[in-house]
């Protein structure tokens, strides 16, 4: 399996990278190369905000899975849709459990809990990203999975 992580050396992604390498996954990181690379990961050096440079680095690759660990703004996922709509079989967006409705009507949060957080701009932007991705799924079949971690840590 050929997997691309956008980012890949942060709190959650470092541990996930190490596990995937241990499992024998063909893992690539696309990042600026500002942190120590993880042994066993193929490194593609580019700034994700430089579309020309990123396209050059990604040219000729097809991905089973792309995971974006560092998308925070709707423009980030719009860019990713354009980059990966024909070159990825699955796109995973790392969102946040903070996107779920605040104040809750009850303690149990499920997938049907509304996405609404008027208190935190970060959460509102993650919600907007999710909405764009779900529209791309409905309108053009963009293969998206959304993950909403509630706690993050590094082992």
């Amino acid at each position: 399996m050929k997997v691309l992580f956008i980012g890949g050396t942060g709190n959650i992604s470092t541990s996930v990278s190490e596990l995937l390498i241990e499992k024998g996954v063909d893992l690539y990181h696309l990042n600026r190369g500002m942190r120590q690379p993880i042994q066993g990961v193929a490194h593609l050096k580019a700034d994700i905000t430089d579309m020309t440079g990123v396209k050059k680095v990604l040219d000729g690759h097809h991905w089973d899975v792309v995971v974006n660990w560092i998308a925070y703004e709707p423009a980030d996922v719009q860019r990713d849709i354009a980059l990966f709509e024909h070159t990825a079989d699955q796109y995973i967006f790392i969102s946040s459990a903070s996107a779920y409705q605040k104040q809750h009507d009850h303690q149990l949060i499920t997938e049907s809990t509304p996405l609404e957080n008027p208190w935190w701009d970060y959460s509102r932007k993650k919600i907007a990203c999710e909405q764009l991705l779900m529209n791309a799924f409905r309108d053009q079949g963009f293969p998206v999975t959304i993950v909403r971690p509630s706690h993050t840590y590094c082992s």
Side-chain angles (χ1 to χ4, degrees), residues 55-124:
K55 283 182 178 180
K56 188 181 209 180
V57 167
L58 295 178
D59 187 44
H61 287 280
H62 185 90
W63 310 99
D64 295 305
V65 178
V66 172
V67 182
N68 193 332
W69 298 94
I70 57 170
Y72 304 104
E73 306 271 343
D76 298 337
V77 296
Q78 287 174 325
R79 175 204 59 230
D80 288 358
I81 293 166
L83 277 172
F84 300 111
E85 66 181 329
H86 301 296
T87 60
D89 296 335
Q90 187 65 42
Y91 176 89
I92 299 175
F93 173 67
I94 306 301
S95 187
S96 171
S98 72
Y100 287 117
Q101 184 179 46
K102 307 291 184 267
Q103 298 290 341
H104 309 295
D105 292 335
H106 50 82
Q107 285 186 318
L108 183 63
I109 295 175
T110 68
E111 287 295 310
S112 62
T113 300
L115 300 179
E116 179 185 2
N117 186 336
W119 313 112
W120 197 8
D121 189 50
Y122 168 84
S123 303
R124 290 191 301 276

Side-chain angles (χ1 to χ4, degrees), residues 104-154:
H104 309 295
D105 292 335
H106 50 82
Q107 285 186 318
L108 183 63
I109 295 175
T110 68
E111 287 295 310
S112 62
T113 300
L115 300 179
E116 179 185 2
N117 186 336
W119 313 112
W120 197 8
D121 189 50
Y122 168 84
S123 303
R124 290 191 301 276
K125 288 178 181 177
K126 287 289 194 174
I127 293 166
C129 290
E130 289 190 30
Q131 291 168 340
L132 280 170
L133 288 162
M134 292 311 296
N135 287 340
F137 169 72
R138 281 189 290 278
D139 297 344
Q140 62 204 61
F142 187 72
V144 63
T145 298
I146 296 168
V147 178
R148 298 184 191 115
S150 61
H151 295 84
T152 61
Y153 63 93
C154 188

